Amino acid sequence: MTDSTQQLLEKARAAAEAARQLADQAQHYSDQLSQTAAAISAHGLGGGAVDPVVFRLAIFVMAVFVGYYVVWSVTPALHTPLMSVTNAISSVIVVGALLSVGVEPSGASDDGAGVARWFGFIALILASVNIFGGFLVTERMLSMYKKKG
């Protein structure tokens, strides 16, 4: 073998080794892409569900905004003793609180149901205090207009 043939053979071996390394890297990238695609499709097949705690927190925040705007849009003429009777708005809170207290845990690891139950219980107590306090205030103010004797 001549020197030029020996050099060409060495270059061919080096080129083959470089091609094998590139093929290994391409296989590695292909495996990573397939694993990523499998993870994405598994999330998509699972419904891409939002965490229940986030969903319930969003409902709570919307309820706070709706309650705020409902209460503050009442005309000043209704801010009389009869307003305490119209605390029926609190019945909406009671209904929501009862629904929240009755949340069934979906699994052993569903901590959101316990939190929802506690928030529902607290909301139920506060709404009950508001409703019964309103009735007591109305009764007291109506008794001020009764004739004595």
Side-chain angles (χ1 to χ4, degrees), residues 46-75:
V50 177
D51 187 15
V53 173
V54 173
F55 183 70
R56 292 173 187 142
L57 185 64
I59 291 174
F60 177 73
V61 169
M62 285 191 294
V64 167
F65 279 112
V66 168
Y68 176 81
Y69 285 109
V70 166
V71 169
W72 285 107
S73 65
V74 172
T75 61

Side-chain angles (χ1 to χ4, degrees), residues 22 36 41 57 62-63 72 74 78 94-95 98 109 112 119 137-138 149:
L22 288 174
T36 303
S41 65
L57 185 64
M62 285 191 294
W72 285 107
V74 172
L78 293 177
V94 169
V95 170
L98 288 174
S109 64
F119 277 126
V137 168
T138 300

Side-chain angles (χ1 to χ4, degrees), residues 7-70:
Q7 290 175 348
L8 287 176
L9 186 60
E10 291 295 324
K11 287 182 181 178
R13 285 184 184 151
E17 182 64 27
R20 190 184 60 77
Q21 289 177 356
L22 288 174
D24 288 344
Q25 286 181 353
Q27 181 66 37
H28 178 71
Y29 292 139
S30 174
D31 290 344
Q32 285 182 342
L33 284 175
S34 65
Q35 289 174 355
T36 303
I40 290 171
S41 65
H43 179 70
L45 291 175
V50 177
D51 187 15
V53 173
V54 173
F55 183 70
R56 292 173 187 142
L57 185 64
I59 291 174
F60 177 73
V61 169
M62 285 191 294
V64 167
F65 279 112
V66 168
Y68 176 81
Y69 285 109
V70 166

Side-chain angles (χ1 to χ4, degrees), residues 98-124:
L98 288 174
L99 288 174
S100 181
V101 167
V103 169
E104 292 289 329
S106 62
S109 64
D110 190 10
D111 295 334
V115 173
R117 284 182 174 187
W118 278 106
F119 277 126
F121 181 71
I122 291 169
L124 185 62

